[in-house]
Amino acid sequence: MKADTSDVAFRLFLALGELWDGLQRADIDATSRGLHLSKEYLGGYTRLSAGPGSHARLVVEWNESSRHLRVLRCEPWPGFEQTISGTVSYIRTAARECGLIDVVDAAFVRACQEPQVPSRRTVIATTPTRSG
């Protein structure tokens, strides 16, 4: 896993964080493919904590307007890309059934495009930040 906005899987993860509350309101269970995510709003930052279970292996704070990513925890997460891919696939199918596919696809398309504006990345993590 690479907690960096240069990585497409990580950008899809950020898009999932952006969509998460709306998916829950639409009764789409985004956790059904193994991604457990929680969000906190902290001023201009959104803290995303995620993992394959109750233990968050990834904790980041993201400020979209300043494009600043703070990595608080980044533990090895074998299968991160597969979890993100499976979750995105499931959500797209469920969103199509609910009539929300345009909103969902727009967020995922933006995530897959190379960012036009560079981001800053600060690692505050006390755990290893190596790929896993």
Side-chain angles (χ1 to χ4, degrees):
M1 168 185 38
K2 186 176 178 186
D4 194 320
T5 58
S6 65
D7 183 68
V8 174
F10 185 77
R11 290 194 313 261
L12 284 168
F13 166 74
L14 291 176
L16 286 167
E18 175 187 324
L19 295 168
W20 205 258
D21 294 337
L23 295 171
Q24 290 177 336
R25 285 191 300 273
D27 291 326
I28 297 174
D29 180 14
T31 64
S32 69
R33 295 301 182 265
L35 177 66
H36 296 272
L37 186 143
S38 65
K39 289 173 52 172
E40 291 179 73
Y41 297 101
L42 310 166
Y45 286 85
T46 301
R47 179 178 291 171
L48 301 171
S49 303
S54 61
H55 172 73
R57 293 189 182 181
L58 176 63
V59 180
V60 297
E61 294 176 350
W62 173 243
N63 183 306
E64 179 66 38
S65 62
S66 69
R67 299 200 42 80
H68 184 213
L69 175 70
R70 292 190 282 215
V71 180
L72 305 178
R73 180 185 304 154
C74 186
E75 298 176 359
W77 183 348
F80 172 76
E81 291 84 4
Q82 291 83 3
T83 300
I84 296 300
S85 177
T87 301
V88 166
S89 178
Y90 168 76
I91 287 171
R92 289 190 72 242
T93 299
R96 188 173 290 113
E97 293 170 5
C98 294
L100 299 173
I101 192 65
D102 292 339
V103 173
V104 168
D105 272 354
F108 292 146
V109 166
R110 278 191 313 273
C112 289
Q113 296 170 341
E114 285 294 320
Q116 298 293 322
V117 180
S119 64
R120 275 185 315 130
R121 181 174 179 263
T122 305
V123 177
I124 304 171
T126 57
T127 56
T129 58
R130 58 191 159 95
S131 295

